[in-house]
Amino acid sequence: MLNNLTDTEEGDGGAQSQGDSNPKESSPFINSSEAAAEKNQQYDGKNMALFEEEMDTSPMVSSLLSSLANYSNLPQGCKEHEEAENNEAESARKKPVKAPQLGTLMGVYMPCIQNIFGVILFLRMTWLVGIGGVIGTFIIVFMCCATTMLTAISMSAIATNGVVPAGGSYYMISRSLGPEFGGAVGICFYLGTTYAGAMYILGAIELLLIYIAPKAAIFPLEGLEGAEAEAALLNNMRVYGTILLTSMATVVFVGVKYVNKLALVFLACVILSILAVYAGVIKTGIDPPDFPVCILGNRTLVWKNFDVCAKTIETANGTITTQLWRMFCDSPFLNATCDKYFVANNVTQIQGIPGVTSGVLADNLFGTYYEKGDLIAKPLLESVEDHDDPLTNANRYVLADITSFFTLLVGIYFPSVTGIMAGSNRSGDLRDAQKSIPIGTIAAITTTSFVYMSSVILFGACIEGVVLRDKFGEGVHGNLVIGTLAWPSPWVIVIGSFFSTCGAGLQSLTGAPRLLQAIAKDGIVPALRIFGHGKANGEPTWSLLLTACICESGILIASLDSVAPILSMFFLMCYMFVNLACALQTLLRTPNWRPRFKFYHWALSFLGMSLCLTLMFLCSWYYAIVAMGIAGSIYKYIEFAGAEKEWGDGIRGLSLSAARYALMRLEEGQPHTKNWRPQLLVLVSTDAEQNVEQPRLLSLTNQLKAGKGLTIVGTALEGTYLANYEQAQRADQALRKLMETEKVKGFCQVTVSSNLRDATSHLLQASGLGGLKHNAVLVSWPRNWKQGDENQTWRNFIELVRETTIARLALLVPKNISAFPSNGERFTEGHIDVWWIVHDGGMLMLLPFLLRQHKVWRKCKMRIFTVAQMDDNSIQMKKDLTTFLYHLRIDAMVEVVEMHDSDISAYTYEKTLVMEQRSQMLKQINLTKTEREREIQSITDSSRGSIRRKNPAAVTTQLSVTEEPPATSKEEKPEEESKSASPPVSPPAQVQLIHDNTTPASPATPATPLTPGEEAQSPGEQIQRTWTEKCDGEAAKPLGVTTQDDIKDIFNMKPEWENLNQSNVRRMHTALRLNEVILKKSSEAKLVLLNMPGAPRNRTGDENYMEFLEVLTDGLNRVLLVRGGGREVITIYS
């Protein structure tokens, strides 16, 4: 039945209808490549004919659900899922992607464990406990672990708010905070991952050269002390680090599959190493290992090149000296000359690993911080030393290699808790990412946090303080300190940690290029587009090359302790924005914010963000500033040069909320005068192709925007909205393009109405929103308004003047707009002249100040002219004006122009007469029949008395009209009636052309009665007949009219000045006198600003108003007519 009904209604727009002609929405769930016939078949027999016209934009629910069910995450490194889904043809050609199979354990938990446990745990954790103390280090660990846990909670909320394609953390941040923040934080995360690779490589080389194969050093350390030994070690690190980086990059380039296969091996090494440490801790409680430490006085000795921790040994043959004696004395004999400190102090051997039950924890509770080069000493032992003696044999003692302080420890430790994004980075490979990411990540952080916190306590309880503070294990035969604790052998830790650091480095070199490739493919950073390309299989070759180069810069630093704070900055910034994204989405209550993970709160996110920011400045305040500067620079670069993306991000939602709040605040009341700034509504006209006709109007708008106010550029189109939608869109695009060209920041608005007058009025009334509305209108002077075909243009202009007055809006009218400078021009000298005739709020003072802020007008000087009348004290006026400008803080020259009273010149009368004659002729051009009837009615009524007084013989009339106006008068066409004027119907009416239209009309008393036949004629018919005769050029000879010689023809007679409208004469006199003075003073000015007179209150003199303004500005090149809005816009108060 529905099908039949649709068929019968096709004539009304069924088959031929194209809906609302809107372009089809691009959606991954709409199959747009099918033929129309197939679509019709899809709806046939399904009772869906009622919706068949919308099938292009509205798919059936079944097809939508099918698309959702078949949706699969793309593997990491592939095209972004939106683009791939939109391209249906490409999707059809793609090979089917293998369904992801990884669960929570192998997909999230284990990768996070591998990435979190790393080089810091094995190489620096014991040293951190020794320097910071158990309490201080526990605080550091707790802060860092709490930060990552809060970040993981925020990340879980974001990750479970919809499908997370491959791209992980970058995808989440960019889609939550927008392309600018996403790009900035994404690049910071990339740099952090890259420098993490450098840190892992440096850790591997440190293990190799110090603990595994010290003899492999290219720059030997033997015999070197102090700075020389340090330089040799760093050079070795640089050489071997570069070799290892090259090898790793080659492996990654050859194939990631090898890295993935080795990942499980590296993960096994990490787990075995940690288990070995816990086993060793348990063993210390039963049978502590034997790791003696030799101490001279209270100074820890480097246990190298001696075997016994004693000065002498008692044997059967007597007392003999040891190798330790020979290190501090010049000969092996007992009478040798020895080091003073060696002689004065005893040698003590203590146990380096006293065990968990020894009570050493109490000694290690508090930290001991050192300056670089300080001796690592045991505080409880006695030491006899002369502080005046210089330190000798420094290479025999264990020394502090760097200056240590609490914040340094934070920076060095924090990289050991990074890696929490490993699970989300693999979201494309997970069977159920929304379930696995929160559980796996939080479980991994819980596990690692427990390990780290327990390690702090166990290390402090098992290991002697001097051994903990011995970074490289020099006092325990060069063993790795954590290795001394491990069971069954220190080599378990050494070998395990070496392979785990190599594996972590490979993972960094694998993940960082893919992250950069994802950023490059998004197109938000134009400079990185080249790095979006790779090998045929999608491997990011160019990104790998850049990553290797950046990683090499970290290796050249060569110090693990210096690289760690750098990557801490980048990771902390990334985590901070993850927390910010979650907090924003939660507080803004975005309708699309519906995460499955429910255990989050905006307060937790803000706490995590605050912790991240705190840790950034704790680690290194100058690194934090540099990192934020880098992120800020990237943000601004993307904002100005990046591709525009709309991802429904939270920052846009924040902008909407902030805008709503600000608009509500603006509604509370009018802004104070100090806060007043020009909020411009710029009215422009467009041609038939919807191109702007006055582009220089936008240039002037740009030059006026030193006030940083609102700008709305509007245009009006004639017609109906439905029929002119395409033209409106083209006009909107033309406005936007011109605004971009002229660098005008603001909004554009196109209004369509049945006539241009109404459309302009709608723009004036409806533009803006709430308190953010325009307070000034900028419109160009109507060109060629004197031409007959431009009649409606100047009428619209005058109506606009009236509307701005009633709406209390300022009006700016540039005349000769084509002569105004473009934004690229520069005036090297000249003046901006202000003619301050009447005070209307101070706009005349403010506008030149704003213009001079722009580079076009910057070098122009400001002059202010004001007019003094006969009874004014011009000297006092000048003083007062100078004082007023001083208080306004405006630098300008002041001149008072005296205008003496003078007789009205003959030229003024001539000009007024010509104006009135011309205005009457203009009114005849497009009059309809009804308008003619009304005009002749009004002119006849108003002229009889004047004409009778002027020429009694000519007071005969052929018309007999009633006192009442025609039926179609005011209520029907008030605007037309007000604008219309009287045509010269008969000689008496012609004489009235030079009479005052405001003269009250005398009653009609015809001198000659009409015949009955003439009486039967309607007034309209008689009027129409007379008009036709006059228009045809024939002489009208009605009954009773005097001869033509008695009436003076309007085009041949001399002006009879006493009959002119005296108000018009006075206005013309003022316009001519002012124009004369302005031309005399400001003819060379670059710009003249002067008060714009208001439009006449009655509409009978509209065309005269235009003539007055034309005369007032005659001969001036650039004029800006200014009409204030009736309120003060400038103040002397601060």
Side-chain angles (χ1 to χ4, degrees):
M1 179 179 175
L2 288 173
N3 289 334
N4 295 334
L5 179 62
T6 306
D7 292 338
T8 60
E9 292 178 349
E10 274 189 4
D12 294 330
Q16 301 297 327
S17 175
Q18 298 298 321
D20 55 2
S21 73
N22 286 336
K24 184 169 77 75
E25 183 184 25
S26 175
S27 169
F29 305 127
I30 299 175
N31 188 355
S32 58
S33 64
E34 304 234 289
E38 295 175 357
K39 291 177 181 175
N40 285 330
Q41 292 174 4
Q42 182 182 5
Y43 281 79
D44 282 346
K46 297 185 180 180
N47 296 325
M48 287 294 170
L50 197 60
F51 302 96
E52 64 185 4
E53 292 180 5
E54 299 175 339
M55 58 197 300
D56 283 343
T57 56
S58 302
M60 291 177 62
V61 173
S62 58
S63 62
L64 172 66
L65 295 177
S66 175
S67 300
L68 287 170
N70 294 330
Y71 176 82
S72 61
N73 292 332
L74 300 176
Q76 194 170 0
C78 290
K79 256 179 132 178
E80 184 178 343
H81 81 294
E82 295 109 318
E83 300 172 3
E85 286 288 343
N86 283 338
N87 193 339
E88 296 291 342
E90 182 181 345
S91 297
R93 292 195 302 267
K94 279 196 306 185
K95 294 180 181 179
V97 180
K98 185 180 178 181
Q101 296 296 329
L102 292 178
T104 304
L105 182 66
M106 296 306 298
V108 181
Y109 181 77
M110 287 301 182
C112 286
I113 290 288
Q114 181 184 0
N115 279 267
I116 295 173
F117 287 137
V119 63
I120 301 297
L121 173 64
F122 301 120
L123 291 181
R124 293 291 182 270
M125 197 65 189
T126 54
W127 178 78
L128 289 171
V129 175
I131 297 294
V134 173
I135 295 175
T137 310
F138 190 87
I139 291 172
I140 294 173
V141 172
F142 181 80
M143 285 174 58
C144 295
C145 291
T147 301
T148 54
M149 179 61 78
L150 293 172
T151 304
I153 291 172
S154 299
M155 184 190 70
S156 299
I158 297 173
T160 58
N161 187 51
V163 179
V164 180
S169 54
Y170 162 69
Y171 181 90
M172 290 188 294
I173 296 169
S174 60
R175 270 54 177 183
S176 296
L177 294 179
E180 292 87 2
F181 275 113
V185 179
I187 291 176
C188 285
F189 190 49
Y190 162 74
L191 291 173
T193 307
T194 304
Y195 275 105
M199 184 186 73
Y200 292 133
I201 291 173
L202 289 174
I205 299 303
E206 184 176 310
L207 285 164
L208 177 68
L209 293 180
I210 296 180
Y211 305 111
I212 299 176
K215 300 295 183 183
I218 297 175
F219 301 92
L221 302 178
E222 295 295 333
L224 298 180
E225 296 184 13
E228 294 179 353
E230 183 181 356
L233 177 62
L234 294 181
N235 288 332
N236 284 321
M237 301 279 281
R238 294 184 180 106
V239 172
Y240 278 101
T242 304
I243 295 171
L244 186 57
L245 172 62
T246 306
S247 305
M248 287 183 174
T250 305
V251 171
V252 173
F253 177 77
V254 169
V256 183
K257 58 182 179 180
Y258 301 111
V259 178
N260 293 333
K261 287 179 179 178
L262 291 172
L264 287 176
V265 177
F266 298 142
L267 177 60
C269 291
V270 173
I271 295 174
L272 287 175
S273 299
I274 294 172
L275 291 177
V277 172
Y278 278 103
V281 169
I282 295 171
K283 184 177 180 296
T284 61
I286 304 168
D287 181 20
D290 183 26
F291 280 100
V293 178
C294 190
I295 296 178
L296 177 62
N298 63 356
R299 300 176 181 177
T300 308
L301 294 174
V302 175
W303 197 305
K304 187 169 64 173
N305 299 325
F306 68 92
D307 52 354
V308 179
C309 183
K311 296 181 181 180
T312 58
I313 301 175
E314 298 293 334
T315 63
N317 297 326
T319 303
I320 60 172
T321 59
T322 61
Q323 292 176 333
L324 183 62
W325 176 281
R326 300 187 186 96
M327 292 169 59
F328 288 93
C329 300
D330 57 1
S331 71
F333 304 109
L334 293 173
N335 59 355
T337 303
C338 298
D339 183 87
K340 291 183 179 179
Y341 187 82
F342 180 75
V343 173
N345 291 276
N346 296 323
V347 174
T348 308
Q349 179 174 307
I350 62 173
Q351 193 61 36
I353 312 291
V356 71
T357 58
S358 63
V360 73
L361 177 63
D363 299 332
N364 295 329
L365 282 178
F366 302 102
T368 306
Y369 297 98
Y370 294 106
E371 295 288 331
K372 183 177 181 179
D374 284 355
L375 295 162
I376 304 299
K378 184 171 175 59
L380 300 180
L381 294 179
E382 293 184 2
S383 174
V384 180
E385 57 184 309
D386 188 351
H387 295 286
D388 296 330
D389 288 342
L391 179 65
T392 56
N393 296 300
N395 60 333
R396 307 284 188 254
Y397 303 109
V398 178
L399 304 176
D401 64 323
I402 60 171
T403 300
S404 54
F405 40 90
F406 182 79
T407 55
L408 174 73
L409 305 187
V410 177
I412 292 174
Y413 173 74
F414 188 80
S416 65
V417 296
T418 59
I420 63 172
M421 301 286 190
S424 61
N425 289 342
R426 297 175 180 229
S427 55
D429 300 325
L430 299 175
R431 189 183 306 116
D432 186 356
Q434 296 193 18
K435 176 183 177 182
S436 298
I437 290 177
I439 296 175
T441 305
I442 293 176
I445 293 176
T446 304
T447 304
T448 53
S449 299
F450 171 77
V451 171
Y452 282 132
M453 292 180 186
S454 61
S455 296
V456 171
I457 297 172
L458 294 176
F459 289 166
C462 295
I463 305 175
E464 180 61 49
V466 290
V467 179
L468 287 173
R469 293 186 283 275
D470 184 359
K471 183 184 290 185
F472 301 110
E474 294 173 307
V476 286
H477 301 279
N479 283 298
L480 183 63
V481 174
I482 194 174
T484 61
L485 191 61
W487 180 87
S489 168
W491 286 102
V492 175
I493 292 287
V494 173
I495 301 299
S497 58
F498 177 77
F499 281 113
S500 69
T501 50
C502 289
L506 278 172
Q507 292 287 348
S508 297
L509 290 178
T510 303
R514 278 159 178 72
L515 180 58
L516 181 63
Q517 187 183 43
I519 298 171
K521 283 191 173 183
D522 259 345
I524 58 174
V525 185
L528 297 179
R529 282 179 184 148
I530 187 175
F531 299 107
H533 305 293
K535 293 193 293 186
N537 60 353
E539 292 299 320
T541 308
W542 290 105
S543 299
L544 176 62
L545 183 62
L546 179 64
T547 302
C549 293
I550 297 175
C551 194
E552 176 64 21
S553 69
I555 289 172
L556 291 177
I557 296 175
S559 172
L560 185 71
D561 302 321
S562 299
V563 173
I566 296 176
L567 65 100
S568 294
M569 292 299 114
F570 294 123
F571 277 121
L572 280 166
M573 185 168 291
C574 176
Y575 297 166
M576 180 176 71
F577 281 104
V578 169
N579 286 295
L580 175 62
C582 180
L584 272 183
Q585 299 278 27
T586 307
L587 287 176
L588 292 176
R589 294 186 175 90
T590 311
N592 193 50
W593 178 247
R594 303 185 300 274
R596 290 184 179 276
F597 182 79
K598 301 299 182 183
F599 305 100
Y600 71 93
H601 193 270
W602 64 266
L604 294 177
S605 299
F606 266 116
L607 179 60
M609 185 178 67
S610 304
L611 276 173
C612 289
L613 194 62
T614 303
L615 288 175
M616 282 179 68
F617 283 91
L618 272 180
C619 292
S620 174
W621 63 268
Y622 44 90
Y623 278 168
I625 292 174
V626 170
M628 296 173 76
I630 292 173
S633 302
I634 298 169
Y635 179 96
K636 298 306 290 185
Y637 174 74
I638 295 174
E639 186 179 42
F640 285 107
E644 292 185 4
K645 298 282 185 181
E646 176 52 58
W647 287 327
D649 52 88
I651 293 299
R652 187 170 181 81
L654 178 63
S655 301
L656 290 171
S657 295
R660 183 183 65 86
Y661 174 77
L663 286 172
M664 297 301 291
R665 289 291 304 273
L666 287 176
E667 282 287 281
E668 294 177 2
Q670 286 287 338
H672 192 272
T673 303
K674 291 186 288 187
N675 294 327
W676 193 96
R677 60 193 67 200
Q679 319 271 25
L680 291 178
L681 171 62
V682 186
L683 299 178
V684 297
S685 57
T686 55
D687 56 19
E689 300 297 326
Q690 275 70 52
N691 294 318
V692 178
E693 292 182 337
Q694 310 101 353
R696 287 293 171 88
L697 208 57
L698 273 295
S699 302
L700 179 61
T701 304
N702 176 276
Q703 294 157 24
L704 280 169
K705 291 317 292 176
K708 301 294 184 185
L710 172 73
T711 300
I712 302 174
V713 181
T715 189
L717 298 181
E718 190 171 4
T720 63
Y721 184 69
L722 287 177
N724 293 274
Y725 178 77
E726 298 289 342
Q727 291 88 328
Q729 292 299 107
R730 287 201 299 271
D732 184 82
Q733 292 299 319
L735 289 181
R736 292 180 187 277
K737 185 176 181 181
L738 184 60
M739 290 173 69
E740 184 178 352
T741 302
E742 298 293 340
K743 298 180 180 178
V744 174
K745 293 184 178 180
F747 310 97
C748 60
Q749 189 166 344
V750 180
T751 301
V752 184
S753 187
S754 57
N755 60 75
L756 293 178
R757 172 84 285 279
D758 288 346
T760 306
S761 180
H762 296 161
L763 273 175
L764 197 71
Q765 297 174 58
S767 296
L769 180 63
L772 194 64
K773 292 179 68 71
H774 54 277
N775 54 27
V777 178
L778 176 63
V779 62
S780 179
W781 175 263
R783 296 179 301 169
N784 306 324
W785 67 273
K786 293 185 180 181
Q787 296 180 3
D789 57 350
E790 298 290 333
N791 188 34
Q792 193 59 37
T793 303
W794 60 262
R795 292 186 186 278
N796 291 345
F797 174 77
I798 295 176
E799 287 301 304
L800 178 66
V801 176
R802 290 193 174 102
E803 288 180 349
T804 54
T805 302
I806 199 68
R808 299 177 64 85
L809 299 175
L811 180 64
L812 314 178
V813 182
K815 195 165 180 287
N816 302 329
I817 186 62
S818 58
F820 276 67
S822 66
N823 291 327
E825 297 180 40
R826 303 285 185 277
F827 288 132
T828 56
E829 58 181 0
H831 296 93
I832 298 176
D833 285 359
V834 177
W835 284 85
W836 192 20
I837 301 168
V838 295
H839 179 66
D840 56 359
M843 280 286 288
L844 281 172
M845 306 293 178
L846 187 61
L847 290 176
F849 170 78
L850 297 178
L851 282 173
R852 291 183 65 228
Q853 308 303 307
H854 196 274
K855 51 192 173 184
V856 173
W857 305 93
R858 188 165 294 154
K859 295 187 179 179
C860 292
K861 295 182 179 179
M862 183 175 165
R863 296 189 300 189
I864 295 182
F865 298 90
T866 189
V867 177
Q869 303 299 326
M870 281 295 294
D871 54 349
D872 292 330
N873 185 342
S874 58
I875 297 175
Q876 187 61 38
M877 280 181 65
K878 184 172 183 179
K879 289 181 180 179
D880 294 342
L881 181 55
T882 304
T883 304
F884 180 60
L885 291 177
Y886 173 78
H887 288 302
L888 287 177
R889 291 89 65 199
I890 291 178
D891 185 18
M893 292 180 286
V894 175
E895 186 170 343
V896 178
V897 178
E898 296 181 351
M899 288 187 65
H900 302 289
D901 291 338
S902 63
D903 294 333
I904 299 175
S905 65
Y907 177 70
T908 302
Y909 283 106
E910 290 281 356
K911 192 87 174 170
T912 308
L913 177 65
V914 172
M915 177 188 72
E916 292 194 355
Q917 291 173 348
R918 183 183 168 283
S919 66
Q920 295 289 351
M921 297 303 295
L922 277 174
K923 292 176 182 178
Q924 301 170 8
I925 293 174
N926 293 317
L927 296 181
T928 63
K929 176 183 175 181
T930 307
E931 288 172 325
R932 292 169 189 158
E933 293 174 358
R934 291 202 307 269
E935 288 304 313
I936 295 174
Q937 168 74 30
S938 63
I939 204 169
T940 303
D941 290 345
S942 63
S943 64
R944 283 196 184 99
S946 311
I947 296 174
R948 187 182 297 112
R949 289 191 297 272
K950 172 64 186 169
N951 190 355
V955 187
T956 58
T957 179
Q958 61 177 349
L959 300 176
S960 176
V961 295
T962 60
E963 295 281 351
E964 298 178 2
T968 59
S969 66
K970 250 175 197 178
E971 287 79 6
E972 293 183 16
K973 292 188 177 181
E975 182 177 338
E976 292 179 359
E977 182 179 1
S978 65
K979 293 178 182 176
S980 57
S982 56
V985 178
S986 62
Q990 289 180 353
V991 176
Q992 174 59 19
L993 290 177
I994 59 174
H995 273 258
D996 188 357
N997 288 337
T998 60
T999 306
S1002 60
T1005 54
T1008 305
L1010 299 176
T1011 64
E1014 290 171 330
E1015 288 178 353
Q1017 289 180 333
S1018 67
E1021 291 173 351
Q1022 295 182 45
I1023 294 168
Q1024 179 62 32
R1025 181 186 50 134
T1026 308
W1027 167 263
T1028 307
E1029 289 176 352
K1030 292 302 293 180
C1031 288
D1032 291 340
E1034 300 175 4
K1037 296 186 180 293
L1039 296 174
V1041 173
T1042 57
T1043 63
Q1044 192 72 19
D1045 297 333
D1046 295 330
I1047 304 299
K1048 298 178 180 180
D1049 189 81
I1050 190 169
F1051 299 109
N1052 298 325
M1053 71 178 187
K1054 292 183 180 180
E1056 301 185 21
W1057 297 338
E1058 66 273 15
N1059 295 321
L1060 291 173
N1061 185 326
Q1062 293 304 308
S1063 175
N1064 286 344
V1065 173
R1066 291 196 307 273
R1067 289 186 173 91
M1068 183 63 74
H1069 176 65
T1070 303
L1072 285 170
R1073 288 295 312 280
L1074 279 174
N1075 179 256
E1076 178 185 343
V1077 174
I1078 294 172
L1079 279 177
K1080 180 180 178 182
K1081 298 287 185 180
S1082 301
S1083 59
E1084 300 298 324
K1086 300 299 182 184
L1087 178 64
V1088 175
L1089 290 89
L1090 58 102
N1091 291 110
M1092 180 179 180
R1097 293 178 182 175
N1098 55 11
R1099 289 177 167 81
T1100 55
D1102 282 358
E1103 60 283 334
N1104 299 340
Y1105 173 71
M1106 297 295 292
E1107 191 69 44
F1108 293 143
L1109 294 182
E1110 196 72 61
V1111 171
L1112 179 63
T1113 58
D1114 187 35
L1116 298 172
N1117 186 24
R1118 299 186 193 91
V1119 183
L1120 184 60
L1121 297 169
V1122 181
R1123 183 160 177 76
R1127 63 161 293 171
E1128 293 293 334
V1129 301
I1130 195 167
T1131 178
I1132 64 175
Y1133 300 105
S1134 61

